[in-house]
Amino acid sequence: MSKYDIIVLGSGPGGYVTAIRASQLGLKTAIIEKESLGGVCLNWGCIPTKALLKSAQVFEYLKHAEDYGLNVKDASHDFCAVVKRSRGVADGMSKGVQFLMKKNKIDVINGFGTLKTGKKVEVDGTDYTADHIIIATGSRSRELPSLPQDGKKVIGYRQAMTLDKQPKTMIIVGSGAIGVEFAYFYNSMGTDVTVVEYLPNIVPVEDEDISKQLERSFKKSGIKVMTSSEVTHVDTSGKGVKATIKTKKGEEILEADIVLSAVGIKSNIENIGLEDVGIAVDRDKILVNDYYQTNIPGYYAIGDVTAGQALAHVASAEGILCVEKIAGQHVEALDYGNVPGCTYCSPEIASVGLTEKQAKEQGIDIKVGKFPFSASGKASASGAKDGFVKVIFDAKYGEWLGCHMIGAGVTDMIAEAVLGRKLETTGHEVLKTIHPHPTMSEAVMEAVADAYGEVIHL
Ligand SMILES: Cc1cc2nc3c(=O)[nH]c(=O)nc-3n(C[C@H](O)[C@H](O)[C@H](O)COP(=O)(O)OP(=O)(O)OC[C@H]3O[C@@H](n4cnc5c(N)ncnc54)[C@H](O)[C@@H]3O)c2cc1C
């Protein structure tokens, strides 16, 4: 029986990052994976979707080349080649993790791992034992009873990124990050897309101003948006799909080639031995404390199987903290209020901290500043004037409570706000920080200036 200091179950951005950090800390580590190294993020999530979105973005540029004074005749695309490129990028990333495992002397065990008592994990009849077992089994697409996925006409995200034929029409149910990213991709490729959202706003976790701006941009680009609407039934008996949609005005039937269900995720917690070991679970999530210890000593859980935001960078940060604590380092609990969230449709969305509504609901006296990209030199030069940066400060102490951005490339700009908030920066300090010209990032400084009545370019 092989004995390790650490066994990690699952090799997503939670698991593989945890394993590398454990190895750096001198711990003998093994990782168990039933599919491809890199988990959902590298194989079926963050990376392949961004590859598809890049193709869509390049195609948009080609279609609008004349806006830049360029002539491109009859821009067209090869849908299968676009999908193939995305799969190639994902495969390359997974191979990269394979290399990292080798480099860090981490044993990779291929197969389905089942937890056992006595700090053991069984894979294909072999028991592996460790002082610490970290569960990082991640999640999959959630299925609604009214929207069972058959993988052909009613699909989840995996099929949505590997279709061999582009659908002419598509209904996307759910307008979180996954839903709107696919909406942008398929619409750009020429599919007729309708987004159906149960709540009153699309991207409902975002600040309301962001939701409204995205809805405007989507409608402008031809995406149909139905809010406060619910798909109650799908009929797949015909050639395509007939979806019954309950709206405020009554019931509507929409027809499409394909329905994409993007209504959230379901944790991979079944059949992995949680019950046998006695690990406590609540509402689909493994219960953990600030250091990711479960109720059973020696067993830990991180990433999508726990209650934090289901994001790759959260999974990685949790795993690093978990093994640093195991190695006896002094660690600070993660601040889940300072996690950036990014959505890579066009325009992109990036945010951190409180929305204006949340700050008001908490009774905080706030200062709000906003700077539109239509007033930014870089945005004008780039032909990317859609969107804005919005900042929220505590009026009394100047604490940076929230930052919300929508526009080209904003996902690369949000780290400034995350770092600023981590360092407890005040609005005044951001205002006095010189931002390079011309960049989209000047909009952050200008939005802060707006909050303090000192905006220059408006
Ligand atoms: C379409 C899509 C786009 C996304 N885009 C982004 C994005 O842009 N940015 C972002 O931050 N997040 C994004 N996410 C979310 C992100 O992918 C997840 O939050 C992240 O992958 C979670 O990491 P994890 O390590 O917890 O689990 P996962 O990545 O789900 O990995 C878990 C791994 O465990 C393996 N496993 C499960 N059970 C067992 C078992 N019993 N034995 C062995 N192996 C097992 C699985 O095969 C899998 O490889 C996206 C998700 C999707 C679906």
Side-chain angles (χ1 to χ4, degrees), residues 38 62 165 182 211 304 382 391 404 410 419 436:
L62 294 177
K165 195 167 153 244
F182 279 114
S211 299
D304 280 8
S382 308
V391 291
H404 308 274
V410 295
L419 181 64

Side-chain angles (χ1 to χ4, degrees), residues 244-286:
T244 308
I245 301 168
K246 199 165 106 193
T247 73
K248 272 186 175 168
K249 291 181 195 146
E251 227 169 58
E252 259 185 56
I253 309 263
L254 276 193
E255 290 189 41
D257 292 338
I258 276 184
V259 172
L260 165 59
S261 174
V263 293
I265 54 164
K266 163 88 190 72
S267 302
N268 294 325
I269 52 173
E270 302 87 354
N271 310 318
I272 58 168
L274 293 178
E275 301 79 7
D276 294 346
V277 179
I279 294 172
V281 172
D282 182 38
R283 276 169 292 166
D284 195 44
K285 298 289 173 189
I286 297 175

Side-chain angles (χ1 to χ4, degrees), residues 8-20 31-49 86-87 89-98 100-101 108-111 136-141 157-158 161 265 268 302-305 310-312 315-316:
V8 187
L9 185 60
S11 76
Y16 86 79
V17 169
T18 304
I20 294 173
I31 193 161
I32 302 171
E33 174 55 57
K34 68 179 169 65
E35 284 185 51
S36 303
L37 290 174
V40 169
C41 173
L42 270 56
N43 297 287
W44 298 106
C46 322
I47 303 301
T49 51
S86 162
R87 297 319 305 158
V89 172
D91 287 350
M93 295 302 295
S94 182
K95 287 200 181 89
V97 175
Q98 221 170 316
L100 289 173
M101 295 298 101
V108 177
I109 301 161
N110 298 307
T137 49
S139 65
R140 60 185 186 273
S141 179
Y157 59 80
R158 284 200 187 206
M161 63 184 85
I265 54 164
N268 294 325
I302 57 144
D304 280 8
V305 284
L311 293 167
S316 303

